[in-house]
Amino acid sequence: VLSLLHYLHKHSSYNRAIDYALRVPHLRSQAKQLAESEGLLNKKFFKGMTKDEQKAQELKILRDIMESKLDIQGGYRKPEWHDILLIQLLVSPFNLMSWVRFHARRVYKYKIKKDAPDEEEKEYTTRIVVGLSQNQWLAVNEEKKMMLLKKELWFEANKVAYLEEREEMERIAKASSNKFKIQKRMQKKERVPENYND
């Protein structure tokens, strides 16, 4: 039952993402142009239909085009069989063993033997330093990946410099945000706890 609810929730999230995309004007117009160029919105298809039926049919066609053309990632992606909770539970021992084997190999190869990192290790270390999950990393475009890999974040000095630079940028962005300024003013008046976000 829980697996079914989990699957239905994921499917509902995917449908909400498609519905949202249909409400975005430029995405909707692109889908409409594509449908017109493929001849899916010809008047002859709508003969004999009421206005409501025509609207429903047009929406169905646009929805099908959106589903085929959009690459939705993350929590809103289309659910697949391996997303079902029961399947994840059944596969979890295998995933745990793979995770242990992967990290044991990393420790042995790069910490004990001190081998030079290969491409997989460079990409993994860069992803971890940047703070992205595997799915988030896959969604990053190749140009940005190459830019991050050029920073050579698998070297400790580069990693520290990158983290300091990112922390400084976050501090500057936070200092210039109105919410942070309001929080500081309220703290001076001692009317608000230290963490305004909670």
Side-chain angles (χ1 to χ4, degrees), residues 125-180:
T125 305
T126 301
R127 178 175 70 82
I128 295 301
V129 169
V130 174
L132 298 177
S133 69
Q134 180 69 31
N135 287 337
Q136 290 170 327
W137 181 255
L138 292 174
V140 172
N141 63 25
E142 289 300 317
E143 187 177 302
K144 186 165 184 179
K145 281 183 188 177
M146 293 309 295
M147 181 200 64
L148 289 169
L149 288 170
K150 283 180 183 173
K151 292 185 179 195
E152 298 182 336
L153 299 177
W154 51 91
F155 294 121
E156 192 63 32
N158 295 349
K159 174 183 167 183
V160 169
Y162 172 78
L163 291 174
E164 286 174 355
E165 175 186 333
R166 190 169 78 175
E167 189 176 296
E168 181 67 20
M169 288 173 60
E170 288 173 358
R171 188 188 64 74
I172 290 170
K174 187 176 178 182
S176 64
S177 79
N178 287 334
K179 186 176 180 180
F180 182 72

Side-chain angles (χ1 to χ4, degrees), residues 85-102:
L85 186 61
L86 181 64
I87 302 296
Q88 289 179 352
L89 289 173
L90 291 174
V91 177
S92 63
F94 172 75
N95 289 341
L96 179 65
M97 290 304 297
S98 297
W99 184 85
V100 168
R101 193 180 96 241
F102 174 76

Side-chain angles (χ1 to χ4, degrees), residues 34-118:
L34 189 60
E36 288 170 353
S37 69
E38 292 178 5
L40 298 174
L41 294 179
N42 286 343
K43 301 261 187 221
K44 64 181 179 180
F45 290 124
F46 299 117
K47 277 190 177 178
M49 293 184 183
T50 65
K51 285 226 181 228
D52 289 339
E53 289 173 338
Q54 288 177 2
K55 272 185 141 180
Q57 186 64 26
E58 181 182 332
L59 187 63
K60 184 181 180 303
I61 290 169
L62 293 178
R63 185 178 182 82
D64 290 343
I65 289 174
M66 279 291 186
E67 286 182 12
S68 66
K69 297 298 178 188
L70 277 183
D71 183 26
I72 299 174
Q73 296 293 325
Y76 292 99
R77 69 183 162 88
K78 191 169 189 172
E80 297 177 14
W81 65 270
H82 56 79
D83 292 332
I84 298 173
L85 186 61
L86 181 64
I87 302 296
Q88 289 179 352
L89 289 173
L90 291 174
V91 177
S92 63
F94 172 75
N95 289 341
L96 179 65
M97 290 304 297
S98 297
W99 184 85
V100 168
R101 193 180 96 241
F102 174 76
H103 286 287
R105 184 185 67 82
R106 281 187 71 231
V107 167
Y108 175 72
K109 193 171 181 181
Y110 303 114
K111 301 286 186 205
I112 297 172
K113 284 179 60 179
K114 305 274 188 209
D115 285 351
D118 58 4

